[in-house]
Amino acid sequence: MDTVSTQAVGRRRLLRWGWMALAGGMGLGGCAVLAPREIRISQAELLAAVARQFPARREVAQVLELSFDRPRLRLLPESERIAIGLDVTVTNALLKRALEGNVQFSAGLRLDRGAQAVRLKSVRTESLFIDGLPQALAQMLQQWGGWLAEQLLEGEVVHQLRPAEVDRLRRAGLQPDALQITPEGVLLTLRPLDAPSS
């Protein structure tokens, strides 16, 4: 091959590599621009995650057996909490029949960065009512409200990032940073991997 042909081939190769580098740069830039900066978790998704924990049964002081089912969920963005309601059935050897009622909990949310999950935190029993329960048993049950909240819901996962999602975020240079409860659900904001956490 003569010198002119060699130079022409070299120029063509250089031009081709230049275009590839430019295209690659545009692709990376496009990814950076298009990469999501937030993840939205709907109220329905939160409820579905809570519902996976039920039905559930707990025994109180070896006296009452409680069954919990049919969870309901409301968002409380003004207090950065969510409300969870459950139907309750109470049985006891001394009761002539099973008694029914409901319990209302509220909970905050926390980001578990190690597990790449959103969990319930600071769960509180807001109200507990069992129709027809004798007063002495009702008072005892009220005293166990905090224990019930912890046993049933504290630390439960309401959203789990899938490994493929975590990998996609890392390749985009992002990671979960903070969460906010909104009227529509939960907003999980993302930050660059090398940025300090909020």
Side-chain angles (χ1 to χ4, degrees):
M1 184 180 293
D2 58 29
T3 303
V4 175
S5 299
T6 302
Q7 290 176 344
V9 170
R11 283 196 298 270
R12 284 197 297 270
R13 286 178 178 171
L14 188 60
L15 183 62
R16 184 168 64 250
W17 281 107
W19 276 109
M20 290 174 66
L22 179 60
M26 290 176 65
L28 288 174
C31 288
V33 171
L34 297 176
R37 292 290 175 169
E38 60 190 33
I39 295 173
R40 294 182 180 272
I41 308 167
S42 70
Q43 181 174 346
E45 290 175 295
L46 294 171
L47 176 58
V50 170
R52 286 195 286 270
Q53 315 300 325
F54 299 95
R57 300 169 73 90
R58 295 292 187 275
E59 190 177 81
V60 174
Q62 299 182 335
V63 175
L64 298 175
E65 186 168 297
L66 282 67
S67 300
F68 301 88
D69 204 358
R70 295 185 60 202
R72 301 167 292 279
L73 186 145
R74 291 184 298 112
L75 301 166
L76 306 172
E78 66 281 355
S79 58
E80 282 291 314
R81 295 177 72 80
I82 63 174
I84 298 172
L86 295 166
D87 288 351
V88 187
T89 302
V90 178
T91 57
N92 172 273
L94 300 178
L95 297 174
K96 296 180 180 179
R97 60 181 176 85
L99 303 179
E100 297 183 347
N102 60 77
V103 60
Q104 299 291 327
F105 299 104
S106 73
L109 298 177
R110 67 178 177 90
L111 178 60
D112 183 343
R113 292 185 174 86
Q116 299 291 339
V118 177
R119 297 182 182 273
L120 298 177
K121 72 168 185 177
S122 305
V123 183
R124 296 195 305 253
T125 301
E126 301 292 350
S127 66
L128 177 57
F129 172 76
I130 307 296
D131 189 25
L133 190 66
Q135 184 176 0
L137 292 178
Q139 290 176 345
M140 182 191 71
L141 193 55
Q142 292 291 340
Q143 293 173 355
W144 284 77
W147 177 84
L148 283 174
E150 181 176 342
Q151 282 287 308
L152 286 169
L153 296 170
E154 186 69 35
E156 290 296 332
V157 172
V158 293
H159 185 76
Q160 177 72 61
L161 288 176
R162 296 185 298 273
E165 290 179 297
V166 176
D167 183 62
R168 186 165 58 249
L169 290 176
R170 284 176 177 163
R171 284 189 280 110
L174 297 170
Q175 62 182 335
D177 179 43
L179 57 82
Q180 177 186 2
I181 298 173
T182 72
E184 292 76 33
V186 173
L187 186 65
L188 184 60
T189 57
L190 308 174
R191 65 176 171 85
L193 286 170
D194 56 355
S197 60
S198 60

